[in-house]
Amino acid sequence: MALEFRCADVGVACGKVSRAESEEELVAAVAAHAKAKHGVELNDTLIDYARTKVRSSGQATSE
Ligand SMILES: [Zn+2]
């Protein structure tokens, strides 16, 4: 089951949708993107916040 994270969901004006098969991978991908594109180093607080915005892309389409 794929997971996804959208920068727009945390109020960032960015169309990036990060996807991964596990939360750990997704957090790593989001952290790399945030640093490269937004110049933001994710700390524990930001990572916890980002986790609350993670969606399951599978669920979204099936119901
Ligand atoms: Zn972004």
Side-chain angles (χ1 to χ4, degrees):
M1 181 167 61
L3 299 173
E4 65 180 44
F5 173 88
R6 295 161 192 259
C7 284
D9 283 351
V10 292
V12 179
C14 171
K16 171 77 174 178
V17 181
S18 303
R19 291 192 180 86
E21 293 302 314
S22 73
E23 193 177 78
E24 219 168 63
E25 277 178 59
L26 185 59
V27 167
V30 170
H33 167 75
K35 191 174 180 185
K37 295 292 178 183
H38 303 297
V40 174
E41 192 96 45
L42 294 194
N43 58 28
D44 288 349
T45 304
L46 288 173
I47 287 172
D48 280 349
Y49 180 57
R51 280 182 203 272
T52 69
K53 301 296 182 181
V54 171
R55 316 171 179 202
S56 157
S57 56
Q59 270 175 4
T61 52
S62 65
E63 289 194 47

